[in-house]
């Protein structure tokens, strides 16, 4: 069974540009989560999507947004990129409808802002 | 607000030694879930275990064991007879069940800062 897949693996952008990161969940999982792992800041929760709706959002500015498609895949969009957005962005998926389900992570997208 | 503290930033041991990674958590939820994840050098987070707040039984899986003590809000992880392949960053995480409009803990994982474990041959 395929795990969570993320693309691209690496993304290089400059300040002010926009970045789009993609995630495909494990088959049968309908919840998708996004986390940021920045150096020195640990793993920070960004967004949770379930059945196409945003269910919870972390303490990030509105320029971090996303969506979930009917096939449960998801996009994370980051607008007006800043240097401090450089980080590893991890996507996770889980069975939906019940909290406490283990979240299974992809390999991440490393976003570098020049 | 929820908080997870992993007091040990780095641990270095020699192969075959036993090692315990500490995790202390804070939450106002009466029902919550605790997790441990492993992040090897390759970067992906690997799920190791989940514990709910009503199940305080310790668990053993091969060389891994977990000690959940609600009275001290701790969920410690022990690796017995460590191996070089155990070298990784280990994260403890907490998921709550609050659905309030402000600051909901529902669904999201709150991670500790991680413990870097290095096992030397």
């Amino acid at each position: 069974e395929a795990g969570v897949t993320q693309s691209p693996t690496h993304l290089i952008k400059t300040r002010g540009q926009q970045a789009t990161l993609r995630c495909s969940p494990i088959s049968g999982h309908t919840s998708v989560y996004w986390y940021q792992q920045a150096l020195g800041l640990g793993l920070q929760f960004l967004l949770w999507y379930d059945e196409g709706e945003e269910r919870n959002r972390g303490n990030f500015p509105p320029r971090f947004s996303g969506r979930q498609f009917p096939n449960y895949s998801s996009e994370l969009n980051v607008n007006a990129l800043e240097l401090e957005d450089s980080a590893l962005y991890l996507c996770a998926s889980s069975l939906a409808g019940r909290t406490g389900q283990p979240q299974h992570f992809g390999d991440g997208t490393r976003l570098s802002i020049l | 607000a929820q908080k997870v503290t992993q007091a040990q930033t780095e641990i270095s041991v020699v192969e075959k030694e036993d090692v315990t990674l500490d995790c202390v958590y804070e939450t106002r939820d009466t029902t919550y879930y605790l997790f441990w994840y492993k992040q090897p050098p390759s970067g992906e987070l690997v799920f190791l275990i989940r514990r709910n707040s009503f199940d305080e039984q310790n668990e053993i899986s091969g060389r891994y064991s977990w000690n959940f003590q609600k009275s001290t809000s701790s969920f410690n992880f022990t690796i017995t007879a460590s191996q070089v392949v155990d070298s990784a960053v280990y994260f403890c995480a907490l998921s709550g069940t609050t659905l309030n409009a402000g600051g909901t803990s529902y669904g999201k994982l709150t991670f500790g800062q991680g413990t870097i474990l290095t096992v030397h041959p």
Side-chain angles (χ1 to χ4, degrees):
Chain A
E1 178 184 274
V4 176
T5 57
Q6 293 186 243
S7 64
T9 305
H10 293 93
L11 192 55
I12 300 174
K13 295 284 186 179
T14 58
R15 286 180 61 190
Q17 285 188 315
Q18 186 234 9
T20 298
L21 287 63
R22 296 179 175 83
C23 173
S24 292
I26 291 171
S27 177
H29 287 186
T30 57
S31 271
V32 171
Y33 311 80
W34 288 95
Y35 292 85
Q36 182 196 65
Q37 189 174 24
L39 202 61
L41 294 177
L43 279 152
Q44 304 289 325
F45 168 74
L46 264 167
L47 290 159
W48 170 29
Y49 291 96
D50 179 43
E51 297 288 351
E53 300 286 333
E54 182 181 301
R55 302 296 184 183
N56 198 357
R57 182 183 179 86
N59 294 325
F60 282 85
R63 57 191 186 82
F64 286 84
S65 65
R67 53 181 173 166
Q68 186 178 35
F69 300 100
N71 66 354
Y72 303 113
S73 67
S74 177
E75 267 182 8
L76 173 69
N77 295 293
V78 188
N79 294 320
L81 287 164
E82 300 179 2
L83 292 176
E84 55 263 33
D85 297 334
S86 293
L88 180 67
Y89 289 84
L90 291 165
C91 174
S93 73
S94 76
L95 295 171
R98 298 159 57 191
T99 190
Q101 288 294 325
Q103 297 179 20
H104 298 274
F105 286 79
D107 291 343
T109 292
R110 186 160 298 280
L111 176 62
S112 299
I113 313 302
L114 304 180
Chain B
Q2 299 191 114
K3 187 178 179 182
V4 177
T5 302
Q6 294 179 249
Q8 304 133 316
T9 304
E10 289 191 55
I11 300 177
S12 181
V13 299
V14 176
E15 213 169 15
K16 298 184 183 177
E17 280 186 41
D18 298 346
V19 57
T20 295
L21 284 62
D22 297 331
C23 173
V24 174
Y25 62 91
E26 295 175 29
T27 180
R28 293 180 182 176
D29 292 341
T30 53
T31 301
Y32 52 89
Y33 299 85
L34 295 162
F35 303 83
W36 275 95
Y37 284 86
K38 174 182 180 180
Q39 189 175 38
S42 50
E44 81 278 15
L45 274 167
V46 178
F47 165 72
L48 295 177
I49 190 172
R50 176 189 68 168
R51 213 12 130 228
N52 74 53
S53 52
F54 296 106
D55 182 2
E56 289 194 67
Q57 282 192 347
N58 292 331
E59 182 159 340
I60 298 174
S61 176
R63 296 183 297 106
Y64 295 171
S65 62
W66 291 270
N67 183 340
F68 174 34
Q69 291 197 343
K70 208 167 177 178
S71 59
T72 56
S73 298
S74 65
F75 186 43
N76 297 336
F77 173 30
T78 297
I79 302 174
T80 303
S82 59
Q83 300 176 0
V84 172
V85 293
D86 296 327
S87 296
V89 183
Y90 290 86
F91 291 94
C92 180
L94 169 67
S95 177
T97 53
T98 301
L99 278 169
N100 294 337
T104 177
S105 64
Y106 203 84
K108 74 176 188 181
L109 288 173
T110 299
F111 285 89
Q113 286 299 101
T115 297
I116 302 171
L117 174 64
T118 304
V119 182
H120 299 281

